[in-house]
Short mmCIF file of all heavy atoms in Angstrom, two decimals:
data_model
loop_
_atom_site.label_atom_id
_atom_site.label_comp_id
_atom_site.label_asym_id
_atom_site.label_seq_id
_atom_site.Cartn_x
_atom_site.Cartn_y
_atom_site.Cartn_z
N ASP A 1 23.42 -20.32 15.35
CA ASP A 1 23.84 -20.45 16.75
C ASP A 1 25.00 -19.51 17.07
O ASP A 1 25.07 -18.95 18.17
CB ASP A 1 24.25 -21.89 17.05
CG ASP A 1 23.06 -22.84 17.08
OD1 ASP A 1 21.92 -22.34 17.21
OD2 ASP A 1 23.26 -24.06 16.96
N GLY A 2 25.91 -19.33 16.10
CA GLY A 2 27.05 -18.45 16.34
C GLY A 2 26.61 -17.02 16.58
O GLY A 2 27.10 -16.36 17.49
N GLY A 3 25.68 -16.54 15.76
CA GLY A 3 25.18 -15.19 15.93
C GLY A 3 24.46 -15.02 17.26
O GLY A 3 24.65 -14.02 17.95
N ARG A 4 23.65 -16.01 17.62
CA ARG A 4 22.94 -15.93 18.91
C ARG A 4 23.92 -15.91 20.07
O ARG A 4 23.74 -15.17 21.05
CB ARG A 4 21.97 -17.10 19.04
CG ARG A 4 20.77 -17.02 18.12
CD ARG A 4 19.75 -18.06 18.49
NE ARG A 4 18.60 -18.06 17.59
CZ ARG A 4 17.47 -18.71 17.80
NH1 ARG A 4 17.35 -19.44 18.91
NH2 ARG A 4 16.48 -18.65 16.95
N HIS A 5 24.97 -16.72 19.95
CA HIS A 5 25.95 -16.77 21.04
C HIS A 5 26.66 -15.43 21.19
O HIS A 5 26.90 -14.96 22.32
CB HIS A 5 26.96 -17.88 20.76
CG HIS A 5 28.08 -17.92 21.75
ND1 HIS A 5 27.90 -18.33 23.06
CD2 HIS A 5 29.40 -17.58 21.63
CE1 HIS A 5 29.05 -18.25 23.71
NE2 HIS A 5 29.97 -17.81 22.86
N ARG A 6 27.00 -14.80 20.05
CA ARG A 6 27.71 -13.52 20.13
C ARG A 6 26.86 -12.44 20.79
O ARG A 6 27.38 -11.54 21.45
CB ARG A 6 28.14 -13.09 18.72
CG ARG A 6 29.31 -13.90 18.18
CD ARG A 6 29.83 -13.33 16.87
NE ARG A 6 28.98 -13.67 15.74
CZ ARG A 6 29.09 -14.80 15.03
NH1 ARG A 6 30.01 -15.70 15.34
NH2 ARG A 6 28.29 -15.02 14.00
N ILE A 7 25.56 -12.54 20.63
CA ILE A 7 24.66 -11.58 21.29
C ILE A 7 24.45 -11.96 22.75
O ILE A 7 24.50 -11.11 23.65
CB ILE A 7 23.32 -11.52 20.53
CG1 ILE A 7 23.55 -10.94 19.14
CG2 ILE A 7 22.30 -10.67 21.29
CD1 ILE A 7 22.41 -11.17 18.18
N SER A 8 24.23 -13.23 23.00
CA SER A 8 23.92 -13.69 24.36
C SER A 8 25.03 -13.38 25.34
O SER A 8 24.79 -13.05 26.51
CB SER A 8 23.63 -15.20 24.35
OG SER A 8 22.49 -15.48 23.58
N ARG A 9 26.28 -13.48 24.87
CA ARG A 9 27.39 -13.24 25.81
C ARG A 9 27.52 -11.77 26.18
O ARG A 9 28.22 -11.42 27.14
CB ARG A 9 28.69 -13.77 25.23
CG ARG A 9 29.23 -13.01 24.06
CD ARG A 9 30.43 -13.72 23.46
NE ARG A 9 31.02 -12.96 22.36
CZ ARG A 9 31.94 -13.45 21.55
NH1 ARG A 9 32.34 -14.71 21.69
NH2 ARG A 9 32.45 -12.71 20.59
N ARG A 10 26.85 -10.90 25.46
CA ARG A 10 26.83 -9.48 25.80
C ARG A 10 25.68 -9.13 26.75
O ARG A 10 25.67 -8.04 27.33
CB ARG A 10 26.69 -8.63 24.54
CG ARG A 10 27.88 -8.69 23.60
CD ARG A 10 27.54 -8.05 22.26
NE ARG A 10 28.68 -8.03 21.36
CZ ARG A 10 29.50 -6.99 21.18
NH1 ARG A 10 29.26 -5.85 21.83
NH2 ARG A 10 30.53 -7.06 20.37
N ALA A 11 24.70 -10.01 26.84
CA ALA A 11 23.51 -9.73 27.65
C ALA A 11 23.75 -10.17 29.09
O ALA A 11 24.49 -11.13 29.35
CB ALA A 11 22.31 -10.46 27.07
N PRO A 12 23.11 -9.51 30.05
CA PRO A 12 23.31 -9.86 31.46
C PRO A 12 22.67 -11.19 31.85
O PRO A 12 23.01 -11.75 32.88
CB PRO A 12 22.66 -8.69 32.21
CG PRO A 12 21.66 -8.13 31.25
CD PRO A 12 22.24 -8.33 29.89
N GLY A 13 21.75 -11.69 31.07
CA GLY A 13 21.08 -12.96 31.36
C GLY A 13 20.62 -13.61 30.08
O GLY A 13 21.05 -13.23 28.98
N ALA A 14 19.74 -14.58 30.20
CA ALA A 14 19.21 -15.25 29.01
C ALA A 14 18.46 -14.25 28.14
O ALA A 14 17.74 -13.39 28.63
CB ALA A 14 18.29 -16.39 29.43
N VAL A 15 18.64 -14.39 26.82
CA VAL A 15 17.98 -13.48 25.88
C VAL A 15 16.59 -14.03 25.58
O VAL A 15 16.43 -14.96 24.78
CB VAL A 15 18.80 -13.33 24.59
CG1 VAL A 15 18.05 -12.44 23.60
CG2 VAL A 15 20.17 -12.74 24.90
N GLU A 16 15.59 -13.47 26.22
CA GLU A 16 14.21 -13.89 26.00
C GLU A 16 13.49 -12.95 25.04
O GLU A 16 12.56 -13.35 24.34
CB GLU A 16 13.47 -13.97 27.33
CG GLU A 16 14.05 -15.02 28.27
CD GLU A 16 13.31 -15.06 29.60
OE1 GLU A 16 12.40 -14.24 29.80
OE2 GLU A 16 13.66 -15.93 30.43
N ALA A 17 13.90 -11.68 25.02
CA ALA A 17 13.34 -10.68 24.11
C ALA A 17 14.51 -10.01 23.41
O ALA A 17 15.07 -9.04 23.92
CB ALA A 17 12.50 -9.66 24.86
N PRO A 18 14.94 -10.55 22.25
CA PRO A 18 16.19 -10.07 21.64
C PRO A 18 16.22 -8.59 21.33
O PRO A 18 17.26 -7.95 21.44
CB PRO A 18 16.30 -10.92 20.36
CG PRO A 18 14.94 -11.49 20.13
CD PRO A 18 14.33 -11.64 21.48
N ALA A 19 15.08 -8.00 20.95
CA ALA A 19 15.08 -6.57 20.66
C ALA A 19 15.47 -5.77 21.90
O ALA A 19 16.21 -4.79 21.81
CB ALA A 19 13.71 -6.13 20.14
N TRP A 20 14.98 -6.20 23.05
CA TRP A 20 15.28 -5.46 24.27
C TRP A 20 16.75 -5.60 24.66
O TRP A 20 17.33 -4.68 25.25
CB TRP A 20 14.33 -5.89 25.39
CG TRP A 20 12.96 -5.37 25.12
CD1 TRP A 20 12.02 -5.90 24.27
CD2 TRP A 20 12.39 -4.16 25.63
NE1 TRP A 20 10.90 -5.11 24.23
CE2 TRP A 20 11.08 -4.04 25.06
CE3 TRP A 20 12.83 -3.19 26.51
CZ2 TRP A 20 10.25 -2.97 25.36
CZ3 TRP A 20 11.98 -2.11 26.80
CH2 TRP A 20 10.71 -2.02 26.22
N ALA A 21 17.36 -6.72 24.31
CA ALA A 21 18.81 -6.84 24.51
C ALA A 21 19.56 -5.85 23.62
O ALA A 21 20.52 -5.20 24.05
CB ALA A 21 19.26 -8.27 24.21
N LEU A 22 19.08 -5.69 22.38
CA LEU A 22 19.71 -4.73 21.48
C LEU A 22 19.45 -3.29 21.92
O LEU A 22 20.30 -2.42 21.73
CB LEU A 22 19.22 -4.93 20.04
CG LEU A 22 19.55 -6.25 19.35
CD1 LEU A 22 19.22 -6.17 17.86
CD2 LEU A 22 21.00 -6.66 19.56
N PHE A 23 18.28 -3.03 22.50
CA PHE A 23 18.00 -1.67 22.99
C PHE A 23 19.08 -1.24 23.97
O PHE A 23 19.60 -0.11 23.87
CB PHE A 23 16.64 -1.59 23.70
CG PHE A 23 15.45 -1.80 22.82
CD1 PHE A 23 14.22 -2.11 23.39
CD2 PHE A 23 15.51 -1.68 21.45
CE1 PHE A 23 13.10 -2.31 22.61
CE2 PHE A 23 14.40 -1.88 20.65
CZ PHE A 23 13.18 -2.19 21.24
N ASP A 24 19.39 -2.08 24.93
CA ASP A 24 20.38 -1.70 25.93
C ASP A 24 21.75 -1.44 25.30
O ASP A 24 22.48 -0.53 25.72
CB ASP A 24 20.49 -2.77 27.01
CG ASP A 24 19.35 -2.70 28.01
OD1 ASP A 24 18.75 -1.62 28.16
OD2 ASP A 24 19.04 -3.73 28.65
N MET A 25 22.10 -2.25 24.31
CA MET A 25 23.37 -2.01 23.61
C MET A 25 23.34 -0.66 22.90
O MET A 25 24.32 0.09 22.91
CB MET A 25 23.63 -3.12 22.59
CG MET A 25 23.81 -4.50 23.18
SD MET A 25 24.10 -5.71 21.85
CE MET A 25 23.58 -7.22 22.67
N ALA A 26 22.22 -0.35 22.26
CA ALA A 26 22.09 0.93 21.56
C ALA A 26 22.11 2.10 22.52
O ALA A 26 22.79 3.12 22.28
CB ALA A 26 20.81 0.93 20.73
N PHE A 27 21.37 1.99 23.61
CA PHE A 27 21.29 3.07 24.59
C PHE A 27 22.67 3.40 25.15
O PHE A 27 22.96 4.56 25.47
CB PHE A 27 20.37 2.68 25.75
CG PHE A 27 18.91 2.59 25.39
CD1 PHE A 27 18.06 1.76 26.12
CD2 PHE A 27 18.38 3.32 24.35
CE1 PHE A 27 16.72 1.67 25.81
CE2 PHE A 27 17.04 3.24 24.02
CZ PHE A 27 16.20 2.41 24.76
N ALA A 28 23.53 2.39 25.29
CA ALA A 28 24.85 2.59 25.90
C ALA A 28 25.84 3.27 24.96
O ALA A 28 26.90 3.71 25.42
CB ALA A 28 25.40 1.24 26.36
N THR A 29 25.53 3.36 23.67
CA THR A 29 26.45 4.01 22.75
C THR A 29 26.44 5.52 22.96
O THR A 29 25.56 6.07 23.64
CB THR A 29 26.08 3.72 21.28
OG1 THR A 29 24.84 4.38 20.97
CG2 THR A 29 25.96 2.22 21.02
N THR A 30 27.39 6.18 22.32
CA THR A 30 27.46 7.64 22.41
C THR A 30 26.53 8.33 21.43
O THR A 30 26.44 9.57 21.42
CB THR A 30 28.90 8.12 22.15
OG1 THR A 30 29.35 7.57 20.91
CG2 THR A 30 29.83 7.66 23.28
N ALA A 31 25.82 7.57 20.59
CA ALA A 31 24.93 8.15 19.59
C ALA A 31 23.86 9.01 20.25
O ALA A 31 23.31 8.66 21.30
CB ALA A 31 24.27 7.05 18.77
N ARG A 32 23.55 10.13 19.62
CA ARG A 32 22.53 11.02 20.17
C ARG A 32 21.14 10.39 20.14
O ARG A 32 20.34 10.62 21.04
CB ARG A 32 22.49 12.32 19.36
CG ARG A 32 23.62 13.28 19.67
CD ARG A 32 23.43 14.60 18.95
NE ARG A 32 24.30 15.63 19.52
CZ ARG A 32 24.19 16.91 19.22
NH1 ARG A 32 23.28 17.33 18.37
NH2 ARG A 32 25.00 17.79 19.78
N LEU A 33 20.84 9.64 19.10
CA LEU A 33 19.48 9.16 18.91
C LEU A 33 19.47 7.66 18.69
O LEU A 33 20.24 7.13 17.90
CB LEU A 33 18.84 9.87 17.70
CG LEU A 33 17.43 9.45 17.27
CD1 LEU A 33 16.43 9.62 18.40
CD2 LEU A 33 16.99 10.25 16.04
N VAL A 34 18.58 6.98 19.40
CA VAL A 34 18.31 5.55 19.21
C VAL A 34 16.86 5.42 18.76
O VAL A 34 15.96 5.99 19.39
CB VAL A 34 18.53 4.75 20.51
CG1 VAL A 34 18.06 3.30 20.34
CG2 VAL A 34 20.00 4.78 20.91
N VAL A 35 16.63 4.70 17.67
CA VAL A 35 15.28 4.51 17.13
C VAL A 35 15.00 3.03 16.99
O VAL A 35 15.85 2.26 16.52
CB VAL A 35 15.12 5.21 15.76
CG1 VAL A 35 13.76 4.89 15.14
CG2 VAL A 35 15.29 6.71 15.89
N ALA A 36 13.79 2.64 17.37
CA ALA A 36 13.36 1.25 17.22
C ALA A 36 12.03 1.20 16.50
O ALA A 36 11.13 2.00 16.79
CB ALA A 36 13.23 0.59 18.59
N PRO A 37 11.86 0.29 15.56
CA PRO A 37 10.52 0.07 15.01
C PRO A 37 9.57 -0.37 16.12
O PRO A 37 9.97 -1.13 17.03
CB PRO A 37 10.73 -1.06 13.99
CG PRO A 37 12.19 -1.04 13.67
CD PRO A 37 12.86 -0.60 14.95
N LEU A 38 8.33 0.07 16.06
CA LEU A 38 7.38 -0.31 17.10
C LEU A 38 7.25 -1.82 17.22
O LEU A 38 7.07 -2.35 18.33
CB LEU A 38 6.00 0.31 16.81
CG LEU A 38 4.94 -0.04 17.86
CD1 LEU A 38 5.29 0.59 19.21
CD2 LEU A 38 3.56 0.39 17.42
N GLN A 39 7.35 -2.54 16.11
CA GLN A 39 7.24 -3.99 16.15
C GLN A 39 8.26 -4.61 17.11
O GLN A 39 7.99 -5.63 17.75
CB GLN A 39 7.42 -4.59 14.75
CG GLN A 39 6.31 -4.22 13.77
CD GLN A 39 6.63 -3.00 12.96
OE1 GLN A 39 7.17 -2.02 13.47
NE2 GLN A 39 6.29 -3.04 11.67
N ASP A 40 9.45 -3.97 17.22
CA ASP A 40 10.46 -4.49 18.14
C ASP A 40 10.09 -4.22 19.59
O ASP A 40 10.32 -5.06 20.47
CB ASP A 40 11.82 -3.88 17.81
CG ASP A 40 12.45 -4.50 16.57
OD1 ASP A 40 11.86 -5.45 16.00
OD2 ASP A 40 13.54 -4.05 16.17
N LEU A 41 9.51 -3.05 19.86
CA LEU A 41 9.05 -2.79 21.22
C LEU A 41 7.99 -3.80 21.65
O LEU A 41 7.93 -4.20 22.81
CB LEU A 41 8.46 -1.38 21.32
CG LEU A 41 9.40 -0.24 21.68
CD1 LEU A 41 10.38 0.04 20.56
CD2 LEU A 41 8.61 1.02 22.00
N MET A 42 7.16 -4.22 20.68
CA MET A 42 6.04 -5.11 20.98
C MET A 42 6.43 -6.58 20.90
O MET A 42 5.58 -7.45 21.09
CB MET A 42 4.90 -4.83 20.01
CG MET A 42 4.39 -3.39 20.01
SD MET A 42 3.60 -2.91 21.55
CE MET A 42 2.10 -3.91 21.48
N HIS A 43 7.71 -6.88 20.60
CA HIS A 43 8.21 -8.27 20.56
C HIS A 43 7.41 -9.08 19.52
O HIS A 43 6.96 -10.19 19.79
CB HIS A 43 8.11 -8.91 21.95
CG HIS A 43 8.84 -10.22 22.08
ND1 HIS A 43 10.18 -10.35 21.83
CD2 HIS A 43 8.40 -11.46 22.44
CE1 HIS A 43 10.54 -11.61 22.03
NE2 HIS A 43 9.48 -12.30 22.39
N LEU A 44 7.28 -8.51 18.31
CA LEU A 44 6.50 -9.15 17.25
C LEU A 44 7.42 -9.84 16.25
O LEU A 44 8.53 -9.38 15.98
CB LEU A 44 5.64 -8.11 16.53
CG LEU A 44 4.62 -7.37 17.41
CD1 LEU A 44 3.87 -6.32 16.58
CD2 LEU A 44 3.63 -8.35 18.04
N ASP A 45 6.93 -10.93 15.68
CA ASP A 45 7.73 -11.67 14.70
C ASP A 45 7.48 -11.13 13.30
O ASP A 45 6.86 -10.07 13.11
CB ASP A 45 7.44 -13.17 14.79
CG ASP A 45 6.00 -13.54 14.44
OD1 ASP A 45 5.30 -12.74 13.80
OD2 ASP A 45 5.58 -14.66 14.82
N ASP A 46 7.94 -11.86 12.29
CA ASP A 46 7.91 -11.32 10.92
C ASP A 46 6.51 -11.26 10.30
O ASP A 46 6.37 -10.75 9.18
CB ASP A 46 8.84 -12.14 10.02
CG ASP A 46 10.25 -11.56 10.01
OD1 ASP A 46 10.45 -10.50 10.61
OD2 ASP A 46 11.15 -12.17 9.40
N GLN A 47 5.52 -11.74 10.99
CA GLN A 47 4.16 -11.48 10.50
C GLN A 47 3.85 -9.98 10.55
O GLN A 47 2.94 -9.51 9.86
CB GLN A 47 3.13 -12.26 11.33
CG GLN A 47 3.20 -13.77 11.09
CD GLN A 47 2.09 -14.50 11.82
OE1 GLN A 47 1.08 -13.92 12.20
NE2 GLN A 47 2.30 -15.80 12.01
N ALA A 48 4.61 -9.25 11.35
CA ALA A 48 4.44 -7.80 11.47
C ALA A 48 5.50 -7.03 10.69
O ALA A 48 5.59 -5.81 10.82
CB ALA A 48 4.48 -7.39 12.94
#
């Protein structure tokens, strides 16, 4: 719960797709390149 709370308070609304919440955090950094596994784009669980 603590980890979820620390992420949720950074998101503009309820975290329904956690990878997409992390995408926005990554995009906002100064890093030149942001990479995501396709499974995260597709909102897949650990079966993938």
Side-chain angles (χ1 to χ4, degrees):
D1 289 342
R4 290 191 183 192
H5 174 71
R6 286 188 283 273
I7 294 164
S8 296
R9 69 187 183 191
R10 294 168 177 263
V15 177
E16 296 179 357
W20 288 80
L22 296 191
F23 293 162
D24 282 336
M25 296 180 203
F27 291 153
T29 68
T30 53
R32 283 187 165 191
L33 176 58
V34 172
V35 174
L38 180 66
Q39 294 93 319
D40 284 357
L41 271 68
M42 302 294 291
H43 192 58
L44 300 177
D45 64 19
D46 270 355
Q47 291 186 20

